[in-house]
């Protein structure tokens, strides 16, 4: 089991910040909207509560540096709103970076090493246990933001994102049961899919994946404020998912 937390950080290296056109105040506001605040803490508490401690893979840099969960090429649908692996637009579709920004230096420096490290983490779990299950820990705002391509659907307290190849029905079922204590649980709305490193994507069924999207008003003050008591309840539910997944060989 790997708890993957890709979007919880706000840190942006100074040389990367230089390529972002927003002033400091606007950048802080954008980070409030785009960051999955406190999700690293949810994963940390869940790992502490779980009977068998899962691995945690946590991105320490903001997704405004690179988004490690995007396709780094034309397959990425979010390119339509300037949010491929390297964002050029904000959550409100304002300019973040110049439109002619070359994404390759950031992809080479940050995206590929991240992908390689995650690939190795999954390969190590396969070698040790014969399987790997990635639980992606995300959050999303209670009201749709302009960048969302599929924001018109339901926005339940917990959205489970699934993949036709990598998300077995039993994984979805046990996650729905675990998160019942947190309110309604929906599937694939407003966000769908689940992250798997490209080396295994749609080719290795030993890699399971599920995305957990938590509506922010259930555990924090939006858009970028402090966490509240809902965090512990969500962490307990996530720990229950970890404990319910059968161990490998």
């Amino acid at each position: 089991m790997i708890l993957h937390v890709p979007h919880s950080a706000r840190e942006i290296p100074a040389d990367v910040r230089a390529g972002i056109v927003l002033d400091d105040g606007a950048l802080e506001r954008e980070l409030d909207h785009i960051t999955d605040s406190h999700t690293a803490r949810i994963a940390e508490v869940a790992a502490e509560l779980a009977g068998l401690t899962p691995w945690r893979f946590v991105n320490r840099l903001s997704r405004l540096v690179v988004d490690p969960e995007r396709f780094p090429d034309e397959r990425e649908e979010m390119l339509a709103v300037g949010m491929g692996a390297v964002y050029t637009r904000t959550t409100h579709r304002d300019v973040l970076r110049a439109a002619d920004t070359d994404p390759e230096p950031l992809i080479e420096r940050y995206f590929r090493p991240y992908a390689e490290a995650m690939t190795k983490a999954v390969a190590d779990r396969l070698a040790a246990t014969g399987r790997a299950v990635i639980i992606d820990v995300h959050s999303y705002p209670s009201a749709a933001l302009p960048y969302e391509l599929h924001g018109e659907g339901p926005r339940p307290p917990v959205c489970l994102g699934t993949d036709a190849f990598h998300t077995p029905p039993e994984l979805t079922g046990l996650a729905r049961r675990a998160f019942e204590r947190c309110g309604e649980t929906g599937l694939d709305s407003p966000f769908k899919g689940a992250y798997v490193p490209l080396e295994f994507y749609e080719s290795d069924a030993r890699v399971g994946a599920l995305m957990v999207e938590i509506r922010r008003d259930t555990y924090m003050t939006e858009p970028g404020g402090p966490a509240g008591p809902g965090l512990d309840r969500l962490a307990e539910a996530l720990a229950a998912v970890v404990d319910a997944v059968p161990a490998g060989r």
Side-chain angles (χ1 to χ4, degrees):
M1 174 70 74
I2 300 172
L3 299 181
H4 181 218
V5 187
H7 296 156
S8 65
R10 297 173 70 102
E11 181 178 347
I12 301 174
D15 59 333
V16 178
R17 169 68 180 95
I20 292 175
V21 302
L22 303 179
D23 63 31
D24 289 346
L27 178 57
E28 286 300 306
R29 289 190 293 274
E30 178 61 16
L31 286 168
D32 286 344
H33 288 294
I34 198 64
T35 304
D36 291 351
S37 299
H38 314 296
T39 50
R41 180 59 181 164
I42 292 172
E44 180 183 21
V45 175
E48 293 170 352
L49 295 172
L52 185 63
T53 303
W55 295 83
R56 283 181 293 136
F57 196 104
V58 181
N59 187 6
R60 300 301 184 188
L61 296 177
S62 169
R63 65 198 289 191
L64 297 185
V65 179
V66 296
D67 191 330
E69 293 207 319
R70 302 289 199 237
F71 287 111
D73 51 37
E74 67 282 349
R75 288 174 291 178
E76 181 50 61
E77 70 168 353
M78 295 301 290
L79 284 170
V81 289
M83 286 187 164
V86 176
Y87 296 178
T88 58
R89 293 280 173 168
T90 71
T91 51
H92 290 74
R93 303 202 183 194
D94 297 323
V95 176
L96 180 77
R97 291 182 173 92
D100 61 354
T101 297
D102 180 4
E104 187 56 33
L106 290 174
I107 289 174
E108 180 65 26
R109 182 176 175 185
Y110 295 106
F111 184 95
R112 292 195 178 99
Y114 189 102
E116 290 167 4
M118 187 63 179
T119 298
K120 183 178 185 303
V122 172
D124 286 349
R125 292 302 85 217
L126 292 175
T129 71
R131 66 191 298 233
V133 179
I134 303 167
I135 304 294
D136 238 11
V137 186
H138 291 263
S139 71
Y140 72 98
S142 56
L145 290 170
Y147 83 94
E148 295 181 27
L149 294 178
H150 310 287
E152 67 283 355
R155 303 179 83 82
V158 177
C159 161
L160 301 177
T162 65
D163 178 89
F165 187 91
H166 291 282
T167 310
E170 56 269 27
L171 178 57
T172 305
L174 67 86
R176 296 196 82 157
R177 291 190 293 274
F179 281 103
E180 282 178 352
R181 69 192 75 178
C182 303
E184 179 189 359
T185 300
L187 293 179
D188 295 319
S189 176
F191 298 99
K192 62 182 179 179
Y195 173 75
V196 173
L198 290 176
E199 182 171 322
F200 309 103
Y201 183 61
E202 294 186 340
S203 64
D204 195 332
R206 296 177 301 163
V207 181
L210 181 73
M211 179 170 64
V212 176
E213 286 272 5
I214 303 163
R215 205 177 67 208
R216 292 175 188 158
D217 64 338
T218 65
Y219 74 93
M220 63 172 284
T221 301
E222 296 185 89
L231 187 148
D232 288 335
R233 183 173 62 251
L234 288 157
E236 290 168 1
L238 184 57
V241 176
V242 173
D243 287 338
V245 174
R249 63 164 180 258

